[in-house]
Amino acid sequence: MITDKSKPFKVKSAVIERLAKELKVVKGPLIVVHGGGSFGHPLASKYKIADGYKKKSQLMGISLTHRAMERLNSYLVEALQKVGIPAVAVQPSACAVADNGRIKLMQINPIKKMLSIGLVPVLYGDAVPDIDRGVSILSGDQIVAYMARKLGASKVILGVDVDGVYTSSPKKSNRAKLVRKITPADAELVASLGAAGTKDVTGGMKNKVMELLELAKLGIEAEIVNAAKPNVLREAIRGKCGIGTIISRGY
Amino acid sequence: MITDKSKPFKVKSAVIERLAKELKVVKGPLIVVHGGGSFGHPLASKYKIADGYKKKSQLMGISLTHRAMERLNSYLVEALQKVGIPAVAVQPSACAVADNGRIKLMQINPIKKMLSIGLVPVLYGDAVPDIDRGVSILSGDQIVAYMARKLGASKVILGVDVDGVYTSSPKKSNRAKLVRKITPADAELVASLGAAGTKDVTGGMKNKVMELLELAKLGIEAEIVNAAKPNVLREAIRGKCGIGTIISRGY
């Protein structure tokens, strides 16, 4: 949503600037996490980073993938700075090690300290060192769930470019139905969710829902909303109900 | 040396490209660390980051200082990529927390794993979270000493823009004498070394020598060489003797 997925390395500056403004309504501590869009995914896919480190030619691919993500991140950080939010990038591959694609260890003390003085950490999906695979892709979604759990987030909002979770892709089928609430009991629905297009190396909507369901089981509710529509993110932050899909424990 | 200190945010591209080429002669694992030059220092100085976090107006200063360092870092990373070195930035403020200006904890497992597969981590001086002060400046020099100790470096080379350590600043006095070797016994000499100009918030040559002496006590020798002169860094990497100042245990 913050990048033009039809063109590599192209940001949607107006969208990023609008989202930065909408984030200004957050009163307490805030962490921002974004995905790879047309920056990380094409490179990660080209160099097969998600398959792990297998041959030397992938090294430059890891280097380029991380640098692309840092570039995308810089657009967000600078947009946040412009509206007066003291954003600081936090590089996942500098503080986390995965094992088989899942976060094994992550140093979050720097983030905690940043939050305590009022800085706004901005994380992102990244190619991270992996104990088993050498390297793996750590999705922004997994980071969101991990951070929310570790820090006891009071609110988790995922902005996407559709109105929430649909029974099938609303971009491909007009029979797709928006689901208002998903709980751990909806295993069948979740299993039926399609993975995203081939360019998303992190699994699209299905992956988001699965990460958030793990969080929901711990009692941390999340909402998936259409941040591509102006003001939706702002309203979700303010607590307006029923504007997307709630992922909750259900009781 | 990699920036034009007379102008803010101006890199010396030709110097960076040359140094990237000279680094190509390294055979084994390599970590690159750079300082702030005209990117980090002016902002850190303007917002008094070295004094710690005292008022809200500093938050944007921390945000801007880190972003400036990231920008400078990106020039290095991209120059290294261009000569075929798979460089990956490693953000100190994402993995380290200081206490009173000294590294208190630092997650170095990502760096270890990167090195193990052949990536080249590129770290830099940064504004980092600080337990006591809220924020502090972590110099590239302190990072060098810390990493060398933790990873048991076989070789530590510091590139500066003079031929080594002088008895006084060679840029200000023509009586300045180059010192070929410094050991922990040279406390008097070290005490007499001047701090750098006002724009260097991390203490200049004196600080470098002090950090390296701590390392020397553990048996890890370092050399300060003039990397502003073509081929000097390359020759130092190859082990040529007597081209700068050696900091060693002395026995």
Side-chain angles (χ1 to χ4, degrees):
Chain A
M1 177 181 43
I2 57 172
T3 67
D4 182 340
K5 290 201 179 174
S6 66
K7 291 176 205 160
F9 315 123
K10 180 103 184 71
V11 289
K12 290 185 180 166
S13 302
V15 173
I16 292 176
E17 282 163 27
R18 175 178 59 75
L19 292 172
K21 277 182 207 153
E22 295 190 27
L23 283 169
K24 281 210 77 173
V25 299
V26 174
K27 299 280 180 235
L30 166 67
I31 297 182
V32 177
V33 182
H34 63 85
S38 67
F39 282 69
H41 295 294
L43 285 166
S45 172
K46 178 180 172 189
Y47 289 96
K48 300 188 167 45
I49 312 290
D51 296 349
Y53 176 65
K54 284 168 184 168
K55 50 184 181 181
K56 244 186 149 179
S57 60
Q58 287 176 299
L59 291 177
M60 192 53 76
I62 298 168
S63 172
L64 292 169
T65 301
H66 174 69
R67 180 68 200 114
M69 286 310 302
E70 215 180 62
R71 276 176 61 205
L72 175 55
N73 179 262
S74 74
Y75 288 104
L76 267 103
V77 166
E78 292 185 355
L80 290 166
Q81 288 176 334
K82 238 187 244 173
V83 300
I85 296 175
V88 178
V90 173
Q91 177 190 347
S93 50
C95 56
V97 174
D99 190 12
N100 247 313
R102 305 298 301 175
I103 297 171
K104 178 76 178 178
L105 50 93
M106 186 164 179
Q107 176 55 270
I108 61 163
N109 283 305
I111 293 172
K112 279 186 182 171
K113 190 71 202 177
M114 286 179 191
L115 289 171
S116 78
I117 65 171
L119 293 168
V120 173
V122 186
L123 291 88
Y124 46 94
D126 201 359
V128 301
D130 188 292
I131 295 170
D132 185 65
R133 301 184 198 163
V135 67
S136 61
I137 299 292
L138 176 56
S139 70
D141 304 329
Q142 188 182 155
I143 294 174
V144 166
Y146 184 89
M147 300 295 302
R149 198 171 75 232
K150 287 284 177 181
L151 300 170
S154 59
K155 195 158 215 160
V156 176
I157 299 171
L158 251 78
V160 293
D161 62 355
V162 288
D163 286 340
V165 182
Y166 282 80
T167 48
S168 57
S169 173
K171 289 176 181 170
K172 289 176 194 158
S173 159
N174 53 15
R175 284 191 309 180
K177 240 186 84 185
L178 182 62
V179 184
R180 285 294 173 194
K181 192 171 188 173
I182 298 177
T183 74
D186 299 313
E188 209 174 317
L189 165 75
V190 177
S192 78
L193 292 173
T198 47
K199 280 195 180 157
D200 188 329
V201 291
T202 57
M205 190 64 89
K206 185 176 192 166
N207 192 60
K208 288 183 207 304
V209 172
M210 283 168 59
E211 296 286 358
L212 296 179
L213 273 176
E214 289 309 305
L215 201 54
K217 287 177 190 165
L218 304 168
I220 300 176
E221 207 172 86
E223 191 166 12
I224 299 179
V225 302
N226 194 342
K229 284 188 184 163
N231 297 317
V232 168
L233 176 63
R234 183 187 278 131
E235 286 176 354
I237 294 166
R238 283 182 174 153
K240 191 174 168 183
C241 294
I243 47 175
T245 300
I246 300 272
I247 318 285
S248 83
R249 186 153 57 173
Y251 56 87
Chain B
M1 179 181 41
I2 56 170
T3 67
D4 182 341
K5 290 202 179 173
S6 67
K7 290 176 206 159
F9 314 123
K10 179 104 185 72
V11 288
K12 291 183 179 167
S13 303
V15 173
I16 291 176
E17 282 162 27
R18 177 179 57 75
L19 292 172
K21 276 181 207 152
E22 295 190 26
L23 283 170
K24 280 210 78 173
V25 298
V26 175
K27 299 277 180 237
L30 166 66
I31 297 183
V32 178
V33 182
H34 63 87
S38 68
F39 281 70
H41 295 294
L43 284 166
S45 173
K46 177 180 172 190
Y47 289 96
K48 300 187 167 50
I49 312 290
D51 296 350
Y53 177 65
K54 283 166 184 169
K55 50 184 180 181
K56 243 184 149 180
S57 59
Q58 287 175 297
L59 290 178
M60 191 52 76
I62 298 167
S63 171
L64 292 169
T65 301
H66 173 69
R67 180 69 200 114
M69 286 309 303
E70 215 179 61
R71 275 175 62 202
L72 175 54
N73 178 262
S74 73
Y75 288 104
L76 269 103
V77 166
E78 292 184 355
L80 291 165
Q81 288 175 336
K82 238 187 244 175
V83 299
I85 296 176
V88 177
V90 173
Q91 176 190 347
S93 50
C95 56
V97 173
D99 190 12
N100 248 313
R102 305 297 301 174
I103 296 171
K104 178 75 178 178
L105 50 94
M106 186 163 179
Q107 177 55 270
I108 62 163
N109 284 306
I111 292 173
K112 279 186 181 170
K113 189 73 203 176
M114 286 179 192
L115 289 171
S116 78
I117 64 171
L119 293 168
V120 174
V122 187
L123 291 88
Y124 46 94
D126 200 1
V128 301
D130 189 291
I131 295 169
D132 185 63
R133 301 183 197 163
V135 67
S136 62
I137 299 293
L138 176 56
S139 70
D141 304 328
Q142 189 183 154
I143 294 174
V144 166
Y146 184 89
M147 299 295 302
R149 199 171 73 231
K150 287 284 177 181
L151 299 171
S154 58
K155 193 157 215 161
V156 176
I157 300 171
L158 250 80
V160 294
D161 61 355
V162 289
D163 286 340
V165 182
Y166 282 82
T167 49
S168 56
S169 171
K171 290 178 182 168
K172 289 175 192 156
S173 159
N174 53 15
R175 285 192 306 178
K177 241 187 81 186
L178 182 62
V179 184
R180 285 292 173 195
K181 192 172 187 173
I182 299 177
T183 73
D186 300 314
E188 210 173 315
L189 165 75
V190 177
S192 78
L193 292 172
T198 47
K199 280 197 181 157
D200 189 326
V201 292
T202 57
M205 191 64 90
K206 185 177 192 166
N207 191 62
K208 288 184 208 304
V209 174
M210 284 168 57
E211 297 286 358
L212 297 179
L213 273 176
E214 289 308 307
L215 201 54
K217 287 177 191 166
L218 304 169
I220 300 175
E221 208 172 86
E223 190 165 13
I224 299 179
V225 302
N226 193 343
K229 283 187 184 162
N231 298 317
V232 169
L233 177 63
R234 183 188 279 131
E235 286 177 352
I237 294 167
R238 283 182 173 154
K240 190 175 170 184
C241 294
I243 48 174
T245 301
I246 300 271
I247 319 285
S248 82
R249 189 152 56 172
Y251 56 84

